[in-house]
Amino acid sequence: MRIRDANKEALIREKAIELIVNHGFDGLSMHKLAKAAGVSVATIYIYFKDREDLIQQVYTDESRKMTEATLLNFDPDAHFDEGLKRQWINRMTYCLENPYSMTFMEQVKHSPLVDRSTVDTRFLQAMQRFVHNAIDRKEIMPLPVEIYWSIAFAPLYQLVKFHIAGKSMPGRPPFVFDEEKINLTLGLVLKALKP
Protein backbone atom coordinates (compact mmCIF):
# COMPACT_ATOMS: atom_id res chain seq x y z
CA MET A 1 0.00 0.00 0.00
CA ARG A 2 1.37 3.41 -0.96
CA ILE A 3 1.79 6.08 1.67
CA ARG A 4 -0.27 9.25 1.42
CA ASP A 5 1.71 12.45 0.86
CA ALA A 6 -0.08 15.65 1.90
CA ASN A 7 2.02 17.74 -0.50
CA LYS A 8 1.12 15.52 -3.47
CA GLU A 9 -2.53 15.59 -2.53
CA ALA A 10 -2.48 19.40 -2.27
CA LEU A 11 -0.76 19.64 -5.67
CA ILE A 12 -3.35 17.31 -7.24
CA ARG A 13 -6.17 19.46 -5.82
CA GLU A 14 -4.50 22.67 -7.05
CA LYS A 15 -3.99 21.30 -10.56
CA ALA A 16 -7.56 19.97 -10.67
CA ILE A 17 -8.86 23.47 -9.91
CA GLU A 18 -6.62 24.97 -12.59
CA LEU A 19 -7.75 22.43 -15.20
CA ILE A 20 -11.42 22.99 -14.40
CA VAL A 21 -11.06 26.78 -14.45
CA ASN A 22 -9.06 26.81 -17.68
CA HIS A 23 -10.84 24.00 -19.57
CA GLY A 24 -14.16 23.37 -17.82
CA PHE A 25 -15.29 20.13 -16.19
CA ASP A 26 -14.97 18.29 -19.50
CA GLY A 27 -11.30 19.30 -19.59
CA LEU A 28 -10.58 17.36 -16.40
CA SER A 29 -9.53 13.77 -16.91
CA MET A 30 -7.37 11.72 -14.58
CA HIS A 31 -4.71 11.44 -17.30
CA LYS A 32 -4.56 15.20 -17.89
CA LEU A 33 -4.53 15.80 -14.13
CA ALA A 34 -1.72 13.29 -13.58
CA LYS A 35 0.36 14.99 -16.27
CA ALA A 36 -0.31 18.48 -14.88
CA ALA A 37 0.57 17.38 -11.33
CA GLY A 38 3.60 15.33 -12.40
CA VAL A 39 2.27 12.15 -10.82
CA SER A 40 0.98 8.83 -12.11
CA VAL A 41 -2.72 8.22 -12.57
CA ALA A 42 -2.46 5.52 -9.89
CA THR A 43 -1.23 8.14 -7.42
CA ILE A 44 -4.43 10.15 -7.88
CA TYR A 45 -6.48 7.08 -6.96
CA ILE A 46 -4.68 6.87 -3.61
CA TYR A 47 -6.51 10.05 -2.63
CA PHE A 48 -9.73 9.96 -4.66
CA LYS A 49 -12.12 7.15 -5.67
CA ASP A 50 -12.83 8.65 -9.08
CA ARG A 51 -13.20 11.94 -10.94
CA GLU A 52 -16.53 12.76 -9.25
CA ASP A 53 -15.09 12.10 -5.79
CA LEU A 54 -12.15 14.35 -6.63
CA ILE A 55 -14.44 17.20 -7.73
CA GLN A 56 -16.66 16.79 -4.65
CA GLN A 57 -13.72 16.73 -2.24
CA VAL A 58 -12.10 19.74 -3.88
CA TYR A 59 -15.40 21.63 -3.71
CA THR A 60 -15.90 20.71 -0.04
CA ASP A 61 -12.35 21.78 0.84
CA GLU A 62 -12.54 25.07 -1.09
CA SER A 63 -15.94 25.79 0.43
CA ARG A 64 -14.49 25.26 3.91
CA LYS A 65 -11.59 27.62 3.16
CA MET A 66 -13.93 30.28 1.82
CA THR A 67 -16.21 29.93 4.86
CA GLU A 68 -13.28 30.38 7.23
CA ALA A 69 -12.11 33.47 5.33
CA THR A 70 -15.63 34.90 5.17
CA LEU A 71 -16.24 34.51 8.90
CA LEU A 72 -12.87 35.96 9.96
CA ASN A 73 -13.53 38.75 12.52
CA PHE A 74 -17.20 38.76 11.53
CA ASP A 75 -19.77 39.38 14.27
CA PRO A 76 -23.31 38.32 13.31
CA ASP A 77 -24.62 40.66 16.01
CA ALA A 78 -22.91 43.73 14.51
CA HIS A 79 -24.83 46.64 13.01
CA PHE A 80 -25.72 45.72 9.43
CA ASP A 81 -23.52 48.41 7.81
CA GLU A 82 -20.47 47.31 9.80
CA GLY A 83 -21.12 43.60 9.30
CA LEU A 84 -21.68 43.89 5.57
CA LYS A 85 -18.47 45.89 5.19
CA ARG A 86 -16.58 43.13 7.06
CA GLN A 87 -18.21 40.55 4.76
CA TRP A 88 -17.16 42.52 1.69
CA ILE A 89 -13.57 42.90 2.90
CA ASN A 90 -13.32 39.22 3.83
CA ARG A 91 -14.86 37.95 0.59
CA MET A 92 -12.89 40.37 -1.58
CA THR A 93 -9.61 39.52 0.15
CA TYR A 94 -10.24 35.80 -0.27
CA CYS A 95 -11.15 36.15 -3.95
CA LEU A 96 -8.18 38.37 -4.77
CA GLU A 97 -5.79 36.03 -2.97
CA ASN A 98 -7.40 32.92 -4.49
CA PRO A 99 -8.64 33.81 -7.99
CA TYR A 100 -8.62 30.21 -9.22
CA SER A 101 -10.63 29.08 -6.21
CA MET A 102 -13.14 31.91 -6.74
CA THR A 103 -13.62 30.96 -10.38
CA PHE A 104 -13.84 27.26 -9.53
CA MET A 105 -16.53 27.94 -6.91
CA GLU A 106 -18.41 30.04 -9.46
CA GLN A 107 -18.32 27.16 -11.96
CA VAL A 108 -19.41 24.63 -9.34
CA LYS A 109 -22.38 26.81 -8.42
CA HIS A 110 -23.90 26.01 -11.80
CA SER A 111 -22.88 22.36 -12.04
CA PRO A 112 -24.81 19.19 -11.24
CA LEU A 113 -21.49 17.42 -10.57
CA VAL A 114 -21.32 18.35 -6.89
CA ASP A 115 -23.56 18.00 -3.89
CA ARG A 116 -23.83 21.57 -2.65
CA SER A 117 -26.00 20.60 0.31
CA THR A 118 -22.84 20.16 2.36
CA VAL A 119 -22.61 23.89 3.16
CA ASP A 120 -20.86 24.57 6.46
CA THR A 121 -23.59 25.15 9.06
CA ARG A 122 -21.41 27.79 10.80
CA PHE A 123 -21.69 29.93 7.68
CA LEU A 124 -25.45 29.48 7.32
CA GLN A 125 -26.12 30.13 10.99
CA ALA A 126 -23.93 33.26 11.07
CA MET A 127 -25.49 34.71 7.91
CA GLN A 128 -29.06 33.93 9.02
CA ARG A 129 -28.47 35.47 12.44
CA PHE A 130 -26.84 38.54 10.89
CA VAL A 131 -29.68 39.19 8.43
CA HIS A 132 -32.47 38.42 10.91
CA ASN A 133 -30.88 40.73 13.50
CA ALA A 134 -30.66 43.51 10.91
CA ILE A 135 -34.31 43.01 9.90
CA ASP A 136 -35.45 42.96 13.55
CA ARG A 137 -33.53 46.20 14.22
CA LYS A 138 -35.03 47.68 11.02
CA GLU A 139 -31.56 48.24 9.54
CA ILE A 140 -32.62 46.51 6.31
CA MET A 141 -35.92 45.60 4.73
CA PRO A 142 -37.07 41.96 4.67
CA LEU A 143 -36.43 40.41 1.24
CA PRO A 144 -36.39 36.94 -0.27
CA VAL A 145 -32.86 35.57 0.20
CA GLU A 146 -32.15 35.51 -3.54
CA ILE A 147 -32.97 39.20 -3.89
CA TYR A 148 -31.02 40.06 -0.74
CA TRP A 149 -27.94 38.16 -1.98
CA SER A 150 -28.17 39.72 -5.46
CA ILE A 151 -28.19 43.23 -4.02
CA ALA A 152 -25.73 42.62 -1.17
CA PHE A 153 -23.04 40.55 -2.91
CA ALA A 154 -23.45 40.33 -6.70
CA PRO A 155 -21.97 43.83 -7.23
CA LEU A 156 -18.94 42.87 -5.13
CA TYR A 157 -18.27 39.65 -7.05
CA GLN A 158 -18.72 41.30 -10.45
CA LEU A 159 -16.31 44.11 -9.62
CA VAL A 160 -13.78 41.61 -8.21
CA LYS A 161 -14.01 39.74 -11.54
CA PHE A 162 -13.32 42.97 -13.46
CA HIS A 163 -10.35 43.66 -11.17
CA ILE A 164 -8.86 40.16 -11.48
CA ALA A 165 -9.31 40.16 -15.26
CA GLY A 166 -7.73 43.60 -15.51
CA LYS A 167 -10.59 44.58 -17.79
CA SER A 168 -13.61 46.81 -17.86
CA MET A 169 -16.39 47.57 -20.29
CA PRO A 170 -15.30 47.85 -23.94
CA GLY A 171 -13.36 51.03 -24.66
CA ARG A 172 -12.63 51.70 -20.98
CA PRO A 173 -9.31 51.45 -19.11
CA PRO A 174 -8.71 48.41 -16.88
CA PHE A 175 -10.85 48.43 -13.74
CA VAL A 176 -9.07 48.64 -10.38
CA PHE A 177 -11.22 47.91 -7.34
CA ASP A 178 -9.61 50.37 -4.94
CA GLU A 179 -10.85 51.63 -1.57
CA GLU A 180 -12.70 54.57 -3.11
CA LYS A 181 -14.67 52.29 -5.45
CA ILE A 182 -15.30 49.78 -2.68
CA ASN A 183 -16.79 52.48 -0.44
CA LEU A 184 -18.84 53.99 -3.28
CA THR A 185 -20.30 50.61 -4.28
CA LEU A 186 -20.89 49.46 -0.71
CA GLY A 187 -22.67 52.76 0.04
CA LEU A 188 -25.02 52.20 -2.90
CA VAL A 189 -25.68 48.60 -1.80
CA LEU A 190 -26.44 49.68 1.77
CA LYS A 191 -28.79 52.39 0.50
CA ALA A 192 -30.64 49.84 -1.65
CA LEU A 193 -31.22 47.51 1.30
CA LYS A 194 -32.51 50.13 3.75
CA PRO A 195 -36.23 50.19 4.60
Side-chain angles (χ1 to χ4, degrees):
M1 183 168 147
R2 294 173 71 178
I3 298 173
R4 295 173 71 95
D5 179 336
N7 293 330
K8 275 188 188 174
E9 183 177 3
L11 181 62
I12 291 166
R13 289 172 183 268
E14 177 186 323
K15 295 302 177 183
I17 290 171
E18 288 177 16
L19 283 170
I20 291 167
V21 167
N22 293 330
H23 306 288
F25 288 105
D26 290 340
L28 176 69
S29 71
M30 295 308 215
H31 289 287
K32 287 179 185 176
L33 178 56
K35 184 176 180 181
V39 299
S40 71
V41 172
T43 299
I44 296 172
Y45 287 105
I46 292 171
Y47 307 101
F48 308 100
K49 289 187 308 193
D50 53 31
R51 180 178 173 272
E52 287 71 27
D53 179 53
L54 165 70
I55 293 169
Q56 182 65 49
Q57 283 194 45
V58 168
Y59 165 73
T60 300
D61 191 45
E62 292 304 309
S63 182
R64 179 191 54 76
K65 290 176 191 174
M66 191 169 188
T67 292
E68 288 171 4
T70 301
L71 294 178
L72 184 67
N73 299 321
F74 173 69
D75 178 4
D77 295 320
H79 186 279
F80 185 77
D81 295 12
E82 179 186 317
L84 190 63
K85 184 169 187 172
R86 170 53 48 201
Q87 280 292 298
W88 270 46
I89 291 167
N90 287 352
R91 291 168 189 242
M92 183 181 72
T93 300
Y94 182 80
C95 292
L96 294 176
E97 290 175 356
N98 302 279
Y100 272 101
S101 178
M102 181 196 91
T103 306
F104 169 76
M105 294 299 281
E106 198 59 27
Q107 285 173 286
V108 166
K109 188 189 312 182
H110 305 288
S111 171
L113 294 175
V114 296
D115 175 9
R116 294 185 330 137
S117 67
T118 59
V119 175
D120 190 323
T121 57
R122 294 174 305 152
F123 177 78
L124 288 177
Q125 290 169 350
M127 292 303 110
Q128 287 173 348
R129 183 170 162 182
F130 175 60
V131 171
H132 289 289
N133 284 343
I135 292 169
D136 290 346
R137 293 188 301 244
K138 302 197 182 331
E139 296 166 353
I140 63 171
M141 68 179 85
L143 294 167
V145 69
E146 298 82 2
I147 295 172
Y148 165 77
W149 188 94
S150 296
I151 295 169
F153 297 110
L156 168 70
Y157 287 119
Q158 184 57 55
L159 294 174
V160 165
K161 287 179 200 175
F162 280 139
H163 180 90
I164 289 171
K167 297 182 179 182
S168 182
M169 300 306 228
R172 305 247 330 133
F175 180 80
V176 176
F177 203 23
D178 58 24
E179 190 169 349
E180 180 184 342
K181 291 182 185 110
I182 293 166
N183 290 332
L184 172 64
T185 310
L186 181 58
L188 292 169
V189 166
L190 290 169
K191 186 176 180 181
L193 292 169
K194 298 288 180 197

